Amino acid sequence: MKVRIPKSLKKGDTIGLISASGATPKEALPKAVEAVEKLGFKVVIGETCRERHGYLAGKDVLRAKEVNDMFRDPAIDGIFCIRGGYGATKILPLLDYEMIGENPKVFTGYSDVTALHIVFNQKCDFVTYHTPMPSTEFIKREMDEYSWSSFINCVTNTEQKNYFLENPSTQQMTTFVDGEATGRLVGGNLSLVVASLGTPYEIDTKDKILFLEDIDEYERSIDRMLTQLKLAGKLNDAAGIILGGWTNCGPQNPNHPEESLRLQTIFEEILAPLNIPILMDVACGHCLPTMSLPLGRIITINSELKTIEVVG
C-alpha cells in the first residue's frame, strides 16, 4: 500500500499546536509558541494547550475533538504536538480516521505521540514525523543546531528521497547485527508500541524497519516489553531494527548492578537471535541531540556500513 507524503511546510504556514496527551505547564506555553514562530510559522493555539484534567490536557472528548478539528480545518497547514506525557491511546476510538486520511498534514511529536503515529501511518496511510516538541526540546537551552536542522529538513522537505539520516558527527552509530534491509519505517517509544498490542490499533511490523527508544524504564521492564513484542511475533516479522536512545534506563538498584542485566545483554539475548540487521546508538529519542524521523517512509538500513537511507 502506498503511503502518502504530506505537503512540505514553508514559512508563513499555520501550525496548530495541540496536546493529545499530558497537560502543558503554564510557563512553558508562551515559550513554545515563540519557538515555533521563530521558525517562521503562524501559530493557532489549541484549547488542549491550556486545559488540565489531572495529568491530561483536558478530557478525552476534548483532546480527540481537537485532533479531528485541526485535521479538518483547511487553514491549518501542519499540526505539532506540544508535548507527550500520557493519554494519546485513550482518544484512539474517538478519532475520525476517514476524515483525517482525506486531509494528510505534517504531524509531529514523539514519546506518547507514538500511539498517533501508528494509527495515522496504518489507518490513514500518510507519513508522520517523529520529532522533538515545542514545550519540551524547543525551549531547552540544550536544543542544538543538529536537532534544529534535522527537524526543519524533515518538515519543510517532505518529499526528499535518496538522502541519509545521519547521527551528529560526535556520536557514532553501532553495528549490532550485520546486514542490509529495506522497508517502511515504523515504531517509536517502546512502551507505546507494546501498549498497542491486542488492540484494534496494534502495530504492523511485517517487513518493516522497527525503530524503538524509551526513557525512565528499569532494565527488567525493557526486557519484559521486548519479550512481549517477541512473543507477539512483532520482532520476528520485522525486516530490521533501529535502536535509539535509552535515557535513564538502568538497574532498579544501582548499588547492586549484579541483580540486573545490562541493556546490551538484554539486546544480545532477545534481539540478536532474530538474525536481522540491527543498528544501535542512533541519536533519536528522549535525548539531545536528536534526529527527526519520517515514519512511514521506505528506508534502507545497512548496519555494517552504519547507514540509514530514505529511498522512497
Side-chain angles (χ1 to χ4, degrees), residues 7-312:
K7 183 178 67 173
S8 294
L9 295 176
K10 62 185 184 304
K11 287 189 176 182
D13 279 351
T14 299
I15 302 302
L17 274 188
I18 67 167
S19 179
S21 305
T24 305
K26 288 182 179 179
E27 67 277 8
L29 179 57
K31 297 176 185 176
V33 172
E34 181 183 8
V36 177
E37 289 176 337
K38 279 185 175 179
L39 297 176
F41 301 124
K42 300 172 185 174
V43 176
V44 171
I45 304 172
E47 188 178 349
T48 56
C49 295
R50 295 190 173 99
E51 280 293 315
R52 178 178 288 276
H53 177 58
Y55 40 78
L56 300 167
K59 293 188 176 182
D60 298 347
V61 171
L62 172 66
R63 288 179 288 113
K65 180 179 184 300
E66 191 159 270
V67 172
N68 287 331
D69 289 348
M70 289 289 187
F71 274 103
R72 186 180 291 110
D73 187 347
I76 301 296
D77 300 297
I79 302 167
F80 292 178
C81 290
I82 194 169
R83 63 155 300 172
Y86 167 73
T89 52
K90 294 167 67 66
I91 69 171
L92 298 183
L94 306 176
L95 298 180
D96 186 343
Y97 295 108
E98 182 176 357
M99 179 277 297
I100 292 171
E102 292 171 354
N103 296 280
K105 299 177 182 183
V106 166
F107 177 84
T108 74
Y110 80 108
S111 194
D112 195 65
V113 182
T114 296
L116 297 174
H117 287 310
I118 292 170
V119 294
F120 294 158
N121 291 164
Q122 294 181 185
K123 287 183 172 290
C124 304
D125 304 322
F126 66 87
V127 173
T128 60
Y129 301 91
H130 184 287
T131 73
M133 296 179 287
S135 77
T136 51
E137 289 77 21
F138 281 21
I139 63 175
K140 283 185 178 178
R141 192 173 300 172
E142 298 86 354
M143 182 70 174
D144 58 287
E145 183 58 34
Y146 166 87
S147 302
W148 278 122
S149 178
S150 183
F151 171 81
I152 292 166
N153 184 62
C154 216
V155 301
T156 65
N157 201 0
T158 58
E159 297 200 19
Q160 179 185 12
K161 63 180 180 179
N162 301 123
Y163 70 98
F164 289 92
L165 298 169
E166 299 177 323
N167 264 14
S169 58
T170 55
Q171 183 176 336
Q172 297 300 308
M173 298 180 189
T174 303
T175 301
F176 189 68
V177 179
D178 282 348
E180 182 178 271
T182 298
R184 292 204 182 276
L185 177 61
V186 300
N189 183 262
L190 173 61
S191 299
L192 273 296
V193 168
V194 170
S196 76
L197 300 181
T199 75
Y201 315 102
E202 181 170 304
I203 191 169
D204 176 11
T205 63
K206 183 68 175 175
D207 299 324
K208 309 291 196 306
I209 307 297
L210 177 61
F211 167 71
L212 297 171
E213 63 82 34
D214 219 318
I215 185 173
D216 293 338
E217 295 286 353
Y218 295 135
E219 287 163 332
R220 67 178 184 181
S221 297
I222 302 295
D223 188 332
R224 171 177 48 77
M225 290 188 283
L226 288 176
T227 298
Q228 187 172 355
L229 282 182
K230 186 172 184 178
L231 293 175
K234 299 301 178 181
L235 299 182
N236 290 324
D237 277 352
I241 294 174
I242 295 173
L243 298 174
W246 303 91
T247 305
N248 298 330
C249 292
Q252 185 168 359
N253 187 349
N255 295 323
H256 293 279
E258 74 280 359
E259 296 177 359
S260 184
L261 290 173
R262 293 168 55 246
L263 283 179
Q264 181 77 14
T265 302
I266 293 168
F267 295 154
E268 287 170 354
E269 293 181 352
I270 297 176
L271 301 180
L274 299 170
N275 199 31
I276 58 176
I278 301 177
L279 192 56
M280 66 185 300
D281 295 326
V282 174
C284 186
H286 290 76
C287 56
L288 286 171
T290 193
M291 181 189 300
S292 291
L293 298 176
L295 296 171
R297 293 291 298 269
I298 298 174
I299 68 168
T300 294
I301 64 168
N302 187 313
S303 52
E304 186 174 3
L305 297 178
K306 306 180 184 68
T307 58
I308 305 171
E309 185 179 7
V310 179
V311 297

